[in-house]
Amino acid sequence: MAVTAPRFRIGAILTNALVAAMTLVVTLPLAWMVTVSFMPRGESNAFPPPFWPSRWSLENYYELLARRLIDGAWFDYRIVPAIGNSLFVAAMSTLLGLLLTVPAGYAFAKLRFRGRERLLKLLIASLVVPGQVAMLPLFLIFKQLGLINSYAGVILPSLAGIFAVLFVRQATLAIPDEMIDAARLDGASEARIFRTIVLPLLTPVTVTLALFMFLGSWNDFLWPLIVLADQHLYTLPVAVAAIAREHAADGELMMASAVVTTMPVLLLFLALQRYYIGGLLGGSIKG
């Protein structure tokens, strides 16, 4: 025992040191992104690039977010409207996606219907098909439906996510069948069972799934770029990419735009962290 205890402490120290090193590797680029966004214009182009600004400045955020008069005309990068567009698209994609995928996951887990197993196998097989493969036919279909250059065209493809359905199904399988059968014997309808029994047990899973959906929609770049042509409808990633085409060499301005893009979802993740951890462990639900 006298030999085992020091070995255990050494192992714990090495493990903690490894975790700390990995955390530093992950967080250091994010910290540098923030500090560069406060540097005066051109300072980050020095070699080696500085970590701390020589003086802290808000000029990059002012140029990025403020509306100003240039040569007698008002000009801005339309970042603030793009933030509102992204919030609307992400919120609607998350809400409507949950309304479709959570009941579908419950149905695949607890309801018996013809062709269920075949549909489930088809969903699992569909996971290996890259989403980019379907973009061209999807674009042509949406063009015929008149959904190009509209938020409906951006939102609709993300509503019935296969991963979301399977994620909810896996968590719902842990709910005891006896609990649901007892409610059926008492005369409860399937809708009431789902609303009063299943949903409360799936709260951590649902919040985690909502976080996944919101992050996926907020960060989505390629599909909104394809569908949206009007710059007044641009989501934040598309608006930032439009700025990058003209200001790729302005590292400080681009880092400020990266901070504006990253911080809202990072704060959301931190606020919902305990639900996120509980949702990932949703398979441990006990009756």
Side-chain angles (χ1 to χ4, degrees):
M1 295 295 296
V3 177
T4 305
R7 288 181 178 177
F8 176 78
R9 285 195 294 269
I10 293 174
I13 292 172
L14 292 176
T15 301
N16 292 334
L18 179 60
V19 171
M22 293 176 63
T23 303
L24 182 64
V25 170
V26 172
T27 57
L28 190 61
L30 294 176
W32 188 70
M33 175 186 72
V34 175
T35 58
V36 170
S37 70
F38 289 101
M39 290 181 182
R41 189 62 60 86
E43 185 173 344
S44 65
N45 295 330
F47 186 83
F51 188 83
W52 295 104
S54 59
R55 64 177 178 86
W56 294 83
S57 172
L58 293 174
E59 61 180 302
N60 300 306
Y61 290 98
Y62 176 78
E63 179 175 350
L64 186 68
L65 302 175
R67 191 166 183 256
R68 54 200 184 277
L69 192 63
I70 299 178
D71 296 332
W74 289 101
F75 171 80
D76 69 288
Y77 288 112
R78 302 200 59 80
I79 290 297
V80 175
I83 294 175
N85 296 341
S86 284
L87 284 174
F88 173 77
V89 170
M92 293 302 296
S93 297
T94 302
L95 178 61
L96 296 177
L98 289 176
L99 290 176
L100 290 175
T101 56
V102 175
Y106 165 72
F108 274 107
K110 296 300 182 181
L111 301 184
R112 301 291 183 266
F113 54 89
R114 186 175 181 180
R116 187 186 71 165
E117 298 302 324
R118 293 181 180 178
L119 284 174
L120 184 60
K121 292 178 181 179
L122 181 62
L123 290 179
I124 296 174
S126 301
L127 286 175
V128 303
V129 179
Q132 292 81 358
V133 173
M135 285 187 175
L136 179 57
L138 194 61
F139 176 84
L140 296 177
I141 293 173
F142 278 22
K143 185 177 180 181
Q144 294 296 323
L145 295 175
L147 296 177
I148 298 301
N149 201 32
S150 69
Y151 289 139
V154 178
I155 294 172
L156 283 176
S158 63
L159 297 186
I162 298 175
F163 169 80
V165 173
L166 297 179
F167 185 72
V168 175
R169 174 187 176 273
Q170 193 63 32
T172 308
L173 287 174
I175 299 177
D177 291 334
E178 293 79 5
M179 185 185 301
I180 297 176
D181 292 338
R184 287 170 180 159
L185 290 175
D186 289 338
S189 64
E190 291 297 335
R192 185 176 180 183
I193 292 172
F194 176 74
R195 186 178 66 255
T196 61
I197 297 177
V198 176
L199 272 184
L201 292 174
L202 292 180
T203 296
V205 174
T206 304
V207 175
T208 301
L209 183 59
L211 183 61
F212 283 155
M213 288 181 169
F214 190 91
L215 292 178
S217 179
W218 179 274
N219 294 324
D220 191 15
F221 167 71
L222 185 56
W223 181 245
L225 178 66
I226 294 173
V227 173
L228 300 177
D230 186 352
Q231 65 173 355
H232 294 86
L233 300 178
Y234 279 178
T235 56
L236 188 55
V238 179
V240 170
I243 298 173
R245 287 196 293 267
E246 299 179 3
H247 300 275
D250 296 334
E252 297 81 11
L253 181 65
M254 297 314 303
M255 288 299 180
S257 64
V259 171
V260 171
T261 304
T262 305
M263 283 303 159
V265 292
L266 181 60
L267 294 176
L268 178 65
F269 175 82
L270 293 176
L272 301 177
Q273 184 178 9
R274 65 188 184 95
Y275 293 102
Y276 171 78
I277 300 300
L280 291 181
L281 301 176
S284 62
I285 295 174
K286 294 182 176 63

